[in-house]
Amino acid sequence: MFFLPSAIRRPPSAVRHLPSDTVPTVYIETYGCQMNVSDSELMLGKLTAEGYESVDGPEGADVILVNTCAIRENAEQRVIGRLGELRRFMKKDTILGVTGCMAQRLGPKLLESNSRVSLVVGPDAYRALPHLIDGARRGERFTATDFDLEEHYEDFQARRFEGVKAWIPVQRGCDYRCTYCIVPYTRGPERSRQLADVVRETQEVVAQGLTEVVLLGQTVNSYTDGTHDFADLLRAVGAVPGIRRVRYTSPHPNDFSDRVIAAMAETETVCEHVHLPMQSGSSRTLKRMLRRYTREEYFACAARLRAAIPGLGLTTDIIVGFPGETDEEFDETITAAQEIGFDDAYMFKFSMRDGTPATRFPAELLVPDDVIDARFERLKATVRGIARERNMKRLGERREVLIEKEARKGGDLLQARSRDFKTVIVPGDPSMIGTYCTVELTGTTGSTFMGTPVQERAPLPMAAGG
Ligand code: 5AD
Ligand code: SF4
């Protein structure tokens, strides 16, 4: 089926009443980080505003977009495999586009290697999507990968996938140049949205019935719109009437000014959780990574945050097997994890990315795969052991949780999240999704908690003479 170009420009309200075969359909599949999820929501918002109908699967869709991640080799391999698989869902005239970081990184090579791909569109070029799709329908093939430092898609209405919390991008790109990381090359230089625009979007989110926002940026706490810093942003977003929870991800340890920590501590709606990527616990490895802090400075940052914010949940990212990582250096990562006591850690095996400074290390510095595998398993066991120990101590405590979705196990169980970022499984029915309740933590698998809803006790009457 060919869709009608005129239908594309109809406003969504008019389109809804057309017979479905005149309305072009679009399916977006998303890989990678929350920034990509947020970008997909923006793309879908733009395309539905232009008259497309969003569909949940690739079968028979008129347009399929695969929004990709380039952070590790295996993320890219998955997408390459998926592009092959998608062919069997495509009609003769389906337009297949690759967007996101892999599109930016590989550009026209993706058109050369896959004859069914007709669009390759990087993170700053989504505004052109409707136009590029029109061109693809005429048989043209495009690569659009210019950076646009002004682009924040302010006039796009995100079409949100989640009904409970909203991802709000506040910053695009990254000016750090960690030697392993492809992001500065796929997402370009750092730039921030205006505070007033972020606040306006937060107000819109509240008007749609959501009560939690997650502010997104590659080094989100380095946010600056020229007048306001991240402390101002936290306070302003946190004060929007109707907002109950503000989170953010991911900060850089070097950008935690006293102002930012104070804003976090003093703004009630900002949750007691920080995801603070450590990457390594060895100052020598950190130096080769160009992380711009030492082990001691990272420890100090974690301590400042914990001192200012009682009950803080602290999670991290760690890379294993960075070039030159010796057994001693790896041991320092293990002891750092033990001494800091993370609530959880995302652990990654180092993946060499073309074009990053790490490619210039001498080959003899590369850590063999079997060594990386063994270190990875050791770190995983360490992190899990620490988390289990910390979580066992929390049994019997109470938490306010936001019910997010049905639990994977099903069976009248719901998945909820505490302010300090604990996953809590609670009994209940789906009508409770989006509501808050207080639970007692009654059990733990080591990582996830089981919770029982409790009646909030009324405050005790003041004792005479108290
Ligand atoms: N190899 C492995 N992990 C990486 N990360 C970023 N680049 C690489 C790489 N080349 C990890 C970092 C970062 C997280 C999002 O992904 O830990 O914080
Ligand atoms: Fe990559 Fe480092 Fe920027 Fe994070 S701060 S996106 S790890 S370059």
Side-chain angles (χ1 to χ4, degrees):
M1 180 198 81
F2 266 97
F3 50 72
L4 304 171
S6 59
I8 299 172
R9 288 186 196 88
R10 269 182 242 262
S13 57
V15 167
R16 236 175 280 138
H17 305 292
L18 291 172
S20 65
D21 65 350
T22 63
V23 180
T25 57
V26 57
Y27 167 67
I28 304 187
E29 194 161 290
T30 309
Y31 293 82
C33 64
Q34 284 98 340
M35 191 62 88
N36 257 12
V37 174
S38 164
D39 277 353
S40 290
E41 292 180 340
L42 287 168
M43 285 190 261
L44 199 60
K46 176 69 176 168
L47 291 172
T48 52
E50 298 270 336
Y52 285 80
E53 186 186 324
S54 159
V55 289
D56 294 337
E59 298 86 355
D62 296 299
V63 177
I64 299 177
L65 298 178
V66 183
N67 195 13
T68 62
C69 170
I71 200 116
R72 282 171 292 276
E73 172 74 21
N74 56 7
E76 289 200 355
Q77 286 310 326
R78 256 178 87 198
V79 167
I80 302 277
R82 184 61 178 154
L83 289 175
E85 243 173 55
L86 283 171
R87 283 175 183 240
R88 71 187 152 95
F89 301 113
M90 290 167 63
K91 302 173 296 176
K92 220 166 100 245
D93 56 356
T94 295
I95 305 297
L96 177 61
V98 180
T99 62
C101 289
M102 219 175 134
Q104 187 71 34
R105 193 177 90 75
L106 295 173
K109 286 188 202 147
L110 279 167
L111 296 182
E112 287 156 25
S113 62
N114 189 321
S115 60
R116 285 307 310 264
V117 173
S118 38
L119 299 176
V120 176
V121 187
D124 282 353
Y126 299 150
R127 183 170 295 280
L129 265 175
H131 170 72
L132 296 176
I133 294 170
D134 285 349
R137 285 198 50 247
R138 293 191 300 269
E140 294 171 58
R141 301 175 87 206
F142 298 99
T143 304
T145 51
D146 285 345
F147 287 131
D148 179 348
L149 302 192
E150 304 294 309
E151 186 58 279
H152 284 292
Y153 303 112
E154 287 307 343
D155 54 325
F156 285 31
Q157 280 287 325
R159 173 90 174 241
R160 300 188 194 278
F161 301 139
E162 283 204 42
V164 171
K165 61 173 169 252
W167 310 111
I168 302 193
V170 303
Q171 178 196 57
R172 299 179 76 85
C174 180
D175 279 349
Y176 281 87
R177 285 272 189 279
C178 304
T179 51
Y180 51 80
C181 188
I182 193 75
V183 167
Y185 312 96
T186 59
R187 288 192 165 267
E190 175 184 326
R191 59 239 120 110
S192 297
R193 290 174 74 184
Q194 290 295 304
L195 178 139
D197 290 326
V198 178
V199 169
R200 178 189 38 79
E201 188 172 350
T202 308
Q203 288 161 340
E204 287 166 11
V205 159
V206 172
Q208 290 159 12
L210 308 188
T211 54
E212 176 172 326
V213 291
V214 187
L215 308 180
L216 299 178
Q218 235 64 53
T219 55
V220 67
N221 52 342
S222 68
Y223 170 92
T224 171
D225 69 356
T227 313
H228 307 97
D229 66 1
F230 192 61
D232 296 323
L233 187 73
L234 280 181
R235 290 185 196 273
V237 170
V240 169
I243 275 294
R244 278 184 73 164
R245 287 184 171 189
V246 178
R247 300 184 187 277
Y248 58 90
T249 195
S250 286
H252 191 286
N254 289 10
D255 293 307
F256 266 120
S257 62
D258 289 342
R259 275 176 57 79
V260 168
I261 295 181
M264 189 177 175
E266 290 163 18
T267 309
E268 255 177 51
T269 46
V270 177
C271 290
E272 297 78 17
H273 170 235
V274 176
H275 181 73
L276 187 65
M278 178 175 79
Q279 313 299 5
S280 167
S282 158
S283 295
R284 282 173 295 166
T285 312
L286 288 167
K287 192 158 189 198
R288 288 196 305 284
M289 288 176 163
L290 196 63
R291 282 295 286 176
R292 303 163 203 257
Y293 53 81
T294 61
R295 172 189 174 98
E296 291 70 31
E297 284 162 349
Y298 182 89
F299 276 46
C301 181
R304 283 164 68 223
L305 285 162
R306 279 181 163 156
I309 302 147
L312 184 77
L314 191 62
T315 56
T316 197
D317 288 343
I318 301 174
I319 297 176
V320 175
F322 186 72
E325 185 187 70
T326 61
D327 284 341
E328 293 71 34
E329 290 176 22
F330 176 67
D331 284 346
E332 290 181 277
T333 295
I334 295 276
T335 58
Q338 287 164 334
E339 284 171 39
I340 288 173
F342 292 111
D343 292 284
D344 200 0
Y346 298 91
M347 293 159 276
F348 307 102
K349 297 178 186 174
F350 171 70
S351 169
M352 186 69 89
R353 310 307 293 129
D354 275 353
T356 59
T359 55
R360 297 198 289 271
F361 287 119
E364 59 268 24
L365 285 191
L366 290 186
V367 181
D369 284 349
D370 57 333
V371 175
I372 295 187
D373 291 349
R375 286 183 189 166
F376 186 81
E377 291 307 317
R378 205 177 131 211
L379 181 64
K380 203 163 71 178
T382 306
V383 164
R384 293 216 172 133
I386 296 164
R388 169 183 295 272
E389 206 176 295
R390 293 175 66 81
N391 287 341
M392 293 295 284
K393 286 195 197 130
R394 294 193 169 105
L395 295 180
E397 292 179 7
R398 290 182 174 195
R399 291 285 188 283
E400 179 202 74
V401 295
L402 169 59
I403 314 264
E404 290 188 339
K405 53 186 166 192
E406 289 183 57
R408 247 180 286 158
K409 281 188 207 142
D412 295 334
L413 292 175
L414 303 167
Q415 185 172 312
R417 186 76 69 178
S418 67
R419 288 175 59 99
D420 57 350
F421 209 62
K422 298 291 174 194
T423 304
V424 186
I425 305 295
V426 292
D429 63 81
S431 67
M432 291 164 68
I433 292 171
T435 65
Y436 291 82
C437 67
T438 300
V439 296
E440 183 175 319
L441 304 177
T442 50
T444 178
T445 60
S447 56
T448 303
F449 286 95
M450 273 62 75
T452 308
V454 288
Q455 213 61 35
E456 274 291 4
R457 276 192 223 112
L460 293 173
M462 282 265 240

